[in-house]
Amino acid sequence: MFFEIWEEREHICENCKRHLGMEPLAQYFSHIKPKGLYPELKFVKSNIQLLCFECHYAHDFKGKEAYDKLSR
């Protein structure tokens, strides 16, 4: 499924618009709704966004304000 997402979408961070390169690294795939709280959405494409490492880390660990500051 992750390869399908990579093929279907532009290789840019959905938050800061940074180019992600040509290789689909695991760190680029971020769950919008956390898989721990919503296990039924773990493999739902619409619940996965492409983010650079910095935005992914901010999204998961730093909170909405830090994540939003990285947005372009």
Side-chain angles (χ1 to χ4, degrees):
M1 177 193 65
F2 294 101
F3 287 113
E4 288 178 21
I5 291 171
W6 188 254
E7 291 298 318
E8 294 169 356
R9 301 183 192 174
E10 289 187 69
H11 303 163
I12 61 168
C13 175
E14 293 180 31
N15 189 50
C16 73
K17 310 304 182 211
R18 183 178 299 149
H19 191 268
L20 301 176
M22 299 305 293
E23 186 178 351
L25 303 177
Q27 68 191 21
Y28 296 153
F29 299 90
S30 172
H31 289 84
I32 298 167
K33 292 186 178 181
K35 59 188 176 216
L37 295 175
Y38 302 91
E40 70 277 10
L41 298 178
K42 184 175 182 175
F43 296 112
V44 175
K45 285 183 185 181
S46 62
N47 187 47
I48 297 179
Q49 59 188 340
L50 291 176
L51 298 177
C52 67
F53 178 75
E54 188 176 8
C55 288
H56 193 163
Y57 185 82
H59 178 266
D60 288 357
F61 300 109
K62 291 187 172 182
K64 183 171 175 21
E65 187 176 324
Y67 176 75
D68 289 343
K69 281 184 181 178
L70 297 171
S71 177
R72 291 185 190 164

Coordinates of all heavy atoms in Angstrom, one line a residue:
M1 N 0.8 -1.2 0.0 CA 0.0 0.0 0.0 C 0.9 1.3 0.0 O 0.5 2.2 -0.7 CB -0.9 0.0 1.2 CG -1.7 1.3 1.3 SD -2.6 1.6 2.8 CE -1.3 1.8 3.9
F2 N 2.0 1.3 0.7 CA 2.8 2.4 0.8 C 3.4 2.7 -0.6 O 3.6 3.9 -0.9 CB 3.9 2.3 1.9 CG 3.2 2.3 3.3 CD1 3.1 1.1 3.9 CD2 2.8 3.4 3.9 CE1 2.5 1.0 5.2 CE2 2.2 3.4 5.1 CZ 2.0 2.2 5.8
F3 N 3.8 1.7 -1.3 CA 4.3 1.9 -2.6 C 3.3 2.5 -3.6 O 3.6 3.3 -4.4 CB 4.9 0.6 -3.2 CG 6.2 0.2 -2.6 CD1 6.3 -0.9 -1.8 CD2 7.4 1.0 -2.8 CE1 7.5 -1.3 -1.2 CE2 8.6 0.6 -2.2 CZ 8.6 -0.5 -1.4
E4 N 2.0 2.1 -3.4 CA 0.9 2.7 -4.2 C 0.8 4.1 -3.9 O 0.6 4.9 -4.8 CB -0.4 1.9 -3.9 CG -0.5 0.5 -4.4 CD -1.8 -0.1 -4.0 OE1 -2.8 0.6 -3.7 OE2 -1.8 -1.4 -4.0
I5 N 0.8 4.5 -2.6 CA 0.7 5.9 -2.2 C 1.8 6.7 -2.9 O 1.6 7.8 -3.4 CB 0.7 6.1 -0.7 CG1 -0.6 5.5 -0.1 CG2 0.9 7.5 -0.3 CD1 -0.6 5.4 1.4
W6 N 3.1 6.2 -2.8 CA 4.2 6.8 -3.4 C 4.1 7.0 -4.9 O 4.4 8.1 -5.4 CB 5.5 6.0 -3.1 CG 6.8 6.7 -3.4 CD1 7.6 6.4 -4.5 CD2 7.4 7.8 -2.8 NE1 8.7 7.2 -4.5 CE2 8.6 8.1 -3.4 CE3 7.0 8.5 -1.6 CZ2 9.4 9.1 -3.0 CZ3 7.9 9.5 -1.2 CH2 9.1 9.8 -1.9
E7 N 3.5 6.1 -5.6 CA 3.3 6.2 -7.0 C 2.2 7.1 -7.4 O 2.2 7.8 -8.4 CB 3.0 4.8 -7.6 CG 4.2 3.9 -7.6 CD 5.4 4.4 -8.4 OE1 5.2 4.9 -9.5 OE2 6.5 4.3 -7.9
E8 N 1.2 7.2 -6.5 CA 0.0 8.1 -6.8 C 0.2 9.5 -6.5 O -0.5 10.4 -7.1 CB -1.2 7.6 -6.0 CG -1.7 6.2 -6.4 CD -2.7 5.6 -5.4 OE1 -3.0 6.2 -4.4 OE2 -3.1 4.5 -5.7
R9 N 1.1 9.9 -5.6 CA 1.2 11.2 -5.1 C 2.5 11.9 -5.5 O 3.5 11.2 -5.8 CB 1.1 11.3 -3.6 CG -0.3 10.7 -3.1 CD -0.4 10.8 -1.6 NE -1.5 10.0 -1.2 CZ -1.8 9.8 0.1 NH1 -1.1 10.4 1.0 NH2 -2.9 9.1 0.4
E10 N 2.5 13.2 -5.5 CA 3.8 13.9 -5.7 C 4.7 13.6 -4.5 O 4.3 13.5 -3.4 CB 3.5 15.4 -5.8 CG 2.8 15.9 -7.0 CD 2.8 17.4 -7.1 OE1 3.8 18.0 -7.3 OE2 1.7 17.9 -7.0
H11 N 6.0 13.7 -4.8 CA 7.0 13.4 -3.8 C 7.4 14.7 -3.1 O 8.5 15.0 -3.1 CB 8.2 12.7 -4.4 CG 7.9 11.4 -5.1 ND1 8.7 10.8 -6.0 CD2 6.8 10.6 -5.0 CE1 8.2 9.7 -6.5 NE2 7.0 9.6 -5.9
I12 N 6.4 15.3 -2.5 CA 6.6 16.5 -1.7 C 6.0 16.4 -0.3 O 5.0 15.7 -0.2 CB 6.1 17.8 -2.4 CG1 4.6 17.7 -2.6 CG2 6.8 18.0 -3.7 CD1 4.0 19.0 -3.1
C13 N 6.5 17.1 0.6 CA 6.0 17.1 2.0 C 4.6 17.9 1.9 O 4.6 19.0 1.4 CB 6.9 17.8 2.9 SG 6.2 18.0 4.6
E14 N 3.6 17.3 2.4 CA 2.3 17.9 2.3 C 2.2 19.1 3.3 O 1.2 19.9 3.2 CB 1.2 16.9 2.7 CG 1.1 15.8 1.6 CD 0.0 14.8 1.8 OE1 -1.0 15.1 2.4 OE2 0.2 13.6 1.4
N15 N 3.1 19.3 4.1 CA 3.1 20.4 5.1 C 4.0 21.6 4.6 O 3.6 22.7 4.4 CB 3.5 20.0 6.5 CG 3.3 21.1 7.5 OD1 2.2 21.7 7.6 ND2 4.3 21.3 8.3
C16 N 5.3 21.3 4.4 CA 6.3 22.4 4.1 C 6.6 22.5 2.6 O 7.3 23.3 2.2 CB 7.5 22.2 4.9 SG 8.6 20.9 4.4
K17 N 6.1 21.5 1.8 CA 6.3 21.4 0.4 C 7.7 21.1 -0.1 O 8.1 21.3 -1.2 CB 5.9 22.7 -0.3 CG 4.5 23.2 0.1 CD 3.4 22.2 -0.2 CE 2.1 22.7 0.2 NZ 1.2 21.7 0.7
R18 N 8.6 20.6 0.9 CA 9.9 20.2 0.5 C 9.9 18.9 -0.3 O 9.1 18.0 -0.1 CB 10.7 19.9 1.8 CG 12.1 19.5 1.7 CD 12.8 19.3 3.0 NE 12.8 20.5 3.8 CZ 12.7 20.5 5.1 NH1 12.7 19.4 5.8 NH2 12.6 21.7 5.7
H19 N 10.8 18.8 -1.3 CA 10.8 17.7 -2.2 C 11.4 16.5 -1.4 O 12.4 16.6 -0.7 CB 11.7 17.9 -3.4 CG 11.6 16.9 -4.5 ND1 12.4 15.8 -4.5 CD2 10.7 16.7 -5.4 CE1 12.1 15.0 -5.5 NE2 11.0 15.5 -6.1
L20 N 10.8 15.3 -1.5 CA 11.2 14.1 -0.8 C 12.2 13.2 -1.5 O 12.6 12.2 -0.9 CB 10.0 13.3 -0.3 CG 8.9 14.1 0.5 CD1 7.7 13.2 0.7 CD2 9.5 14.6 1.8
G21 N 12.5 13.5 -2.7 CA 13.5 12.7 -3.4 C 12.7 11.6 -4.2 O 11.5 11.7 -4.4
M22 N 13.5 10.6 -4.6 CA 12.9 9.5 -5.4 C 12.7 8.2 -4.7 O 12.0 7.3 -5.2 CB 13.8 9.3 -6.7 CG 13.9 10.6 -7.5 SD 12.4 11.3 -8.1 CE 11.8 10.0 -9.2
E23 N 13.2 8.1 -3.5 CA 13.1 6.8 -2.8 C 12.1 6.9 -1.7 O 12.1 7.8 -0.9 CB 14.5 6.5 -2.1 CG 14.5 5.1 -1.5 CD 15.9 4.8 -0.9 OE1 16.8 5.6 -1.2 OE2 16.0 3.8 -0.2
P24 N 11.1 6.0 -1.6 CA 10.0 6.0 -0.6 C 10.5 5.5 0.7 O 10.3 4.4 1.1 CB 8.9 5.1 -1.2 CG 9.7 4.1 -2.0 CD 10.9 4.9 -2.6
L25 N 11.0 6.4 1.5 CA 11.5 6.0 2.9 C 10.3 5.9 3.8 O 9.4 6.7 3.8 CB 12.5 7.0 3.4 CG 13.8 7.3 2.5 CD1 14.6 8.4 3.1 CD2 14.5 6.0 2.3
A26 N 10.4 5.0 4.8 CA 9.3 4.8 5.7 C 9.0 6.1 6.5 O 7.8 6.3 6.8 CB 9.7 3.7 6.7
Q27 N 10.0 6.9 6.8 CA 9.8 8.1 7.6 C 8.9 9.1 6.9 O 8.4 10.0 7.5 CB 11.1 8.7 7.9 CG 11.9 9.3 6.7 CD 13.3 9.7 7.0 OE1 13.9 9.2 8.0 NE2 13.8 10.6 6.2
Y28 N 8.7 9.0 5.6 CA 7.8 9.9 4.8 C 6.3 9.7 5.0 O 5.5 10.5 4.7 CB 8.2 9.9 3.4 CG 9.6 10.3 3.0 CD1 10.2 9.9 1.9 CD2 10.3 11.2 3.8 CE1 11.5 10.3 1.5 CE2 11.5 11.6 3.4 CZ 12.1 11.2 2.3 OH 13.4 11.6 1.9
F29 N 6.0 8.5 5.5 CA 4.6 8.1 5.6 C 4.1 8.3 7.0 O 4.5 7.7 8.0 CB 4.4 6.7 5.2 CG 4.8 6.4 3.8 CD1 6.1 6.0 3.5 CD2 3.9 6.6 2.7 CE1 6.5 5.8 2.2 CE2 4.3 6.3 1.4 CZ 5.6 6.0 1.1
S30 N 3.1 9.3 7.2 CA 2.6 9.7 8.5 C 1.1 9.5 8.6 O 0.4 9.9 7.7 CB 2.9 11.2 8.7 OG 2.3 11.7 9.9
H31 N 0.7 8.9 9.6 CA -0.7 8.7 9.9 C -1.3 10.0 10.4 O -0.8 10.5 11.4 CB -0.9 7.5 10.9 CG -0.6 6.2 10.3 ND1 0.7 5.7 10.3 CD2 -1.4 5.3 9.7 CE1 0.6 4.5 9.7 NE2 -0.6 4.2 9.4
I32 N -2.4 10.4 9.8 CA -3.1 11.6 10.2 C -3.7 11.4 11.5 O -3.5 12.1 12.5 CB -4.1 12.0 9.1 CG1 -3.4 12.4 7.8 CG2 -4.9 13.2 9.6 CD1 -4.3 12.5 6.6
K33 N -4.5 10.3 11.6 CA -5.1 9.9 12.9 C -4.2 8.8 13.4 O -4.0 7.8 12.6 CB -6.5 9.4 12.7 CG -7.5 10.5 12.4 CD -8.9 10.1 12.4 CE -9.9 11.2 12.1 NZ -11.3 10.8 12.1
P34 N -3.7 8.8 14.6 CA -2.7 7.9 15.1 C -3.2 6.4 15.0 O -4.3 6.1 15.4 CB -2.4 8.3 16.5 CG -3.0 9.7 16.7 CD -4.0 9.8 15.6
K35 N -2.3 5.6 14.5 CA -2.7 4.1 14.4 C -2.9 3.5 15.8 O -3.7 2.5 15.8 CB -1.7 3.4 13.6 CG -0.3 3.4 14.1 CD 0.7 2.8 13.1 CE 2.1 3.0 13.7 NZ 3.1 3.2 12.7
G36 N -2.3 4.0 16.8 CA -2.6 3.5 18.1 C -4.0 3.7 18.6 O -4.6 2.9 19.3
L37 N -4.5 4.9 18.3 CA -5.9 5.2 18.7 C -6.9 4.8 17.7 O -8.1 4.6 18.0 CB -6.0 6.7 18.9 CG -5.2 7.4 20.0 CD1 -5.3 8.9 20.0 CD2 -5.6 6.8 21.4
Y38 N -6.5 4.6 16.5 CA -7.4 4.2 15.4 C -6.8 3.1 14.6 O -6.5 3.2 13.4 CB -7.7 5.4 14.4 CG -8.2 6.6 15.1 CD1 -7.4 7.6 15.7 CD2 -9.6 6.8 15.3 CE1 -7.9 8.7 16.3 CE2 -10.2 7.9 15.9 CZ -9.3 8.9 16.4 OH -9.8 10.0 17.1
P39 N -6.7 1.9 15.2 CA -6.1 0.8 14.5 C -6.8 0.4 13.2 O -6.1 -0.1 12.3 CB -6.1 -0.3 15.5 CG -7.1 0.0 16.5 CD -7.2 1.5 16.5
E40 N -8.1 0.7 13.1 CA -8.8 0.4 11.9 C -8.4 1.2 10.7 O -8.7 0.9 9.5 CB -10.3 0.5 12.1 CG -10.8 1.9 12.3 CD -10.7 2.5 13.8 OE1 -10.0 1.8 14.6 OE2 -11.2 3.5 14.0
L41 N -7.7 2.3 11.0 CA -7.3 3.2 9.9 C -5.8 3.1 9.5 O -5.3 3.8 8.7 CB -7.5 4.7 10.3 CG -8.9 5.1 10.6 CD1 -9.0 6.6 11.0 CD2 -9.8 4.9 9.4
K42 N -5.2 2.1 10.1 CA -3.7 1.8 9.9 C -3.4 1.7 8.4 O -2.3 2.2 8.0 CB -3.3 0.6 10.7 CG -1.8 0.4 10.6 CD -1.4 -0.8 11.5 CE 0.1 -1.0 11.4 NZ 0.5 -2.1 12.4
F43 N -4.2 1.0 7.7 CA -3.9 0.8 6.2 C -4.9 1.4 5.3 O -5.2 0.9 4.3 CB -3.8 -0.7 6.0 CG -2.7 -1.4 6.7 CD1 -2.9 -2.3 7.7 CD2 -1.4 -1.1 6.4 CE1 -1.9 -2.9 8.4 CE2 -0.3 -1.7 7.0 CZ -0.6 -2.6 8.0
V44 N -5.4 2.6 5.7 CA -6.4 3.3 4.9 C -5.6 4.5 4.3 O -5.0 5.3 5.0 CB -7.6 3.9 5.8 CG1 -8.4 4.8 4.9 CG2 -8.3 2.7 6.4
K45 N -5.5 4.5 3.0 CA -4.7 5.5 2.3 C -5.0 6.9 2.6 O -4.1 7.7 2.7 CB -4.8 5.3 0.7 CG -4.1 4.1 0.2 CD -4.3 4.2 -1.3 CE -3.8 3.0 -2.0 NZ -4.0 3.0 -3.5
S46 N -6.3 7.2 2.8 CA -6.7 8.6 3.1 C -6.2 9.0 4.5 O -6.3 10.2 4.8 CB -8.2 8.8 2.9 OG -8.9 7.9 3.8
N47 N -5.8 8.1 5.3 CA -5.3 8.5 6.6 C -3.8 8.6 6.6 O -3.2 8.8 7.7 CB -5.7 7.4 7.7 CG -5.4 7.8 9.1 OD1 -5.6 9.0 9.5 ND2 -4.7 6.9 9.8
I48 N -3.1 8.5 5.5 CA -1.7 8.6 5.4 C -1.3 9.8 4.6 O -1.8 10.1 3.5 CB -1.1 7.3 4.8 CG1 -1.4 6.2 5.8 CG2 0.4 7.5 4.6 CD1 -0.9 4.8 5.4
Q49 N -0.4 10.6 5.1 CA 0.1 11.8 4.4 C 1.6 11.6 4.2 O 2.3 11.0 5.0 CB -0.2 13.1 5.2 CG 0.3 13.1 6.6 CD -0.2 14.3 7.3 OE1 -0.7 15.3 6.8 NE2 -0.1 14.3 8.7
L50 N 2.1 12.3 3.2 CA 3.6 12.3 3.0 C 4.2 13.5 3.6 O 3.7 14.7 3.4 CB 3.9 12.3 1.5 CG 3.5 11.1 0.7 CD1 3.8 11.3 -0.8 CD2 4.3 9.9 1.2
L51 N 5.1 13.3 4.5 CA 5.8 14.4 5.2 C 7.3 14.2 5.2 O 7.7 13.0 5.3 CB 5.3 14.4 6.7 CG 3.8 14.7 7.0 CD1 3.6 14.7 8.5 CD2 3.4 16.0 6.4
C52 N 8.0 15.3 5.2 CA 9.5 15.2 5.4 C 9.7 14.8 6.8 O 8.8 14.8 7.7 CB 10.2 16.5 5.1 SG 9.8 17.8 6.2
F53 N 11.0 14.4 7.1 CA 11.3 13.9 8.5 C 11.0 15.0 9.5 O 10.4 14.7 10.6 CB 12.7 13.5 8.6 CG 13.1 13.0 10.0 CD1 12.7 11.8 10.5 CD2 13.8 13.8 10.8 CE1 13.0 11.4 11.8 CE2 14.1 13.4 12.1 CZ 13.7 12.2 12.6
E54 N 11.4 16.2 9.3 CA 11.2 17.3 10.2 C 9.7 17.5 10.5 O 9.3 17.7 11.7 CB 11.8 18.6 9.7 CG 11.8 19.7 10.7 CD 12.6 21.0 10.2 OE1 12.9 21.0 9.1 OE2 12.7 21.9 11.1
C55 N 8.9 17.6 9.5 CA 7.4 17.7 9.7 C 6.8 16.5 10.4 O 5.9 16.7 11.2 CB 6.7 18.1 8.4 SG 7.1 19.7 7.7
H56 N 7.2 15.3 10.0 CA 6.7 14.1 10.6 C 7.0 14.1 12.1 O 6.1 13.8 12.9 CB 7.3 12.9 9.9 CG 6.6 11.6 10.2 ND1 6.8 10.5 9.4 CD2 5.8 11.2 11.2 CE1 6.1 9.5 10.0 NE2 5.5 9.9 11.0
Y57 N 8.2 14.4 12.5 CA 8.6 14.5 13.9 C 7.8 15.5 14.6 O 7.3 15.2 15.7 CB 10.1 14.8 14.0 CG 10.6 14.7 15.4 CD1 10.9 13.5 16.0 CD2 10.7 15.9 16.2 CE1 11.4 13.4 17.3 CE2 11.1 15.8 17.5 CZ 11.5 14.6 18.1 OH 11.9 14.5 19.4
A58 N 7.6 16.7 14.0 CA 6.8 17.7 14.7 C 5.3 17.3 14.8 O 4.7 17.5 15.9 CB 6.9 19.0 13.9
H59 N 4.8 16.7 13.8 CA 3.4 16.2 13.8 C 3.2 15.2 15.0 O 2.3 15.2 15.7 CB 3.1 15.5 12.5 CG 1.7 15.0 12.4 ND1 1.5 13.7 12.6 CD2 0.5 15.6 12.1 CE1 0.2 13.4 12.5 NE2 -0.4 14.6 12.2
D60 N 4.2 14.2 15.1 CA 4.0 13.2 16.1 C 4.4 13.5 17.5 O 3.9 13.0 18.4 CB 4.8 11.9 15.6 CG 4.2 11.2 14.4 OD1 3.1 11.6 14.0 OD2 4.9 10.2 14.0
F61 N 5.4 14.4 17.7 CA 6.0 14.7 19.0 C 6.0 16.1 19.5 O 6.1 16.3 20.7 CB 7.4 14.1 19.0 CG 7.5 12.7 18.7 CD1 8.0 12.2 17.5 CD2 7.0 11.7 19.6 CE1 8.1 10.9 17.2 CE2 7.1 10.3 19.3 CZ 7.6 9.9 18.1
K62 N 5.9 17.1 18.6 CA 6.0 18.5 19.1 C 4.7 19.2 19.2 O 4.7 20.3 19.8 CB 7.0 19.2 18.2 CG 8.4 18.8 18.3 CD 9.3 19.7 17.5 CE 10.7 19.4 17.8 NZ 11.6 20.3 17.0
G63 N 3.6 18.7 18.6 CA 2.3 19.4 18.7 C 2.0 20.2 17.5 O 2.8 20.5 16.6
K64 N 0.7 20.6 17.5 CA 0.2 21.3 16.3 C 0.9 22.6 16.0 O 1.1 23.0 14.9 CB -1.3 21.5 16.5 CG -2.0 22.2 15.3 CD -3.5 22.2 15.5 CE -4.2 22.9 14.4 NZ -3.6 23.2 13.1
E65 N 1.2 23.4 17.0 CA 1.8 24.7 16.8 C 3.2 24.6 16.2 O 3.5 25.3 15.2 CB 2.0 25.4 18.2 CG 2.5 26.9 18.0 CD 2.6 27.6 19.3 OE1 1.7 27.4 20.2 OE2 3.5 28.4 19.5
A66 N 4.0 23.6 16.6 CA 5.3 23.4 16.0 C 5.2 22.9 14.6 O 5.9 23.3 13.7 CB 6.2 22.4 16.9
Y67 N 4.2 22.0 14.4 CA 4.0 21.5 13.0 C 3.5 22.6 12.1 O 4.1 22.7 11.0 CB 2.9 20.4 13.1 CG 2.5 19.8 11.8 CD1 3.3 18.9 11.1 CD2 1.2 20.2 11.3 CE1 2.8 18.4 9.9 CE2 0.8 19.6 10.1 CZ 1.6 18.7 9.4 OH 1.2 18.2 8.2
D68 N 2.6 23.4 12.5 CA 2.1 24.5 11.7 C 3.2 25.5 11.4 O 3.1 26.1 10.3 CB 0.9 25.2 12.4 CG -0.3 24.3 12.4 OD1 -0.4 23.3 11.6 OD2 -1.3 24.6 13.1
K69 N 4.1 25.8 12.3 CA 5.2 26.7 12.0 C 6.1 26.3 10.8 O 6.7 27.1 10.2 CB 6.1 26.9 13.2 CG 5.5 27.8 14.3 CD 6.5 27.9 15.4 CE 5.9 28.8 16.5 NZ 6.8 29.0 17.6
L70 N 6.1 25.0 10.5 CA 7.0 24.5 9.4 C 6.3 24.6 8.1 O 6.9 24.5 7.0 CB 7.3 23.0 9.7 CG 8.2 22.8 10.9 CD1 8.3 21.3 11.1 CD2 9.6 23.4 10.7
S71 N 5.0 24.9 8.1 CA 4.1 25.0 6.9 C 4.6 26.1 6.0 O 5.0 27.2 6.5 CB 2.7 25.1 7.3 OG 1.9 25.3 6.2
R72 N 4.4 25.9 4.7 CA 4.7 27.0 3.7 C 3.5 27.3 3.0 O 2.7 26.6 2.6 CB 5.8 26.6 2.8 CG 7.2 26.5 3.4 CD 8.2 26.2 2.4 NE 9.4 25.9 3.1 CZ 10.5 25.3 2.6 NH1 10.5 24.9 1.4 NH2 11.5 25.0 3.3

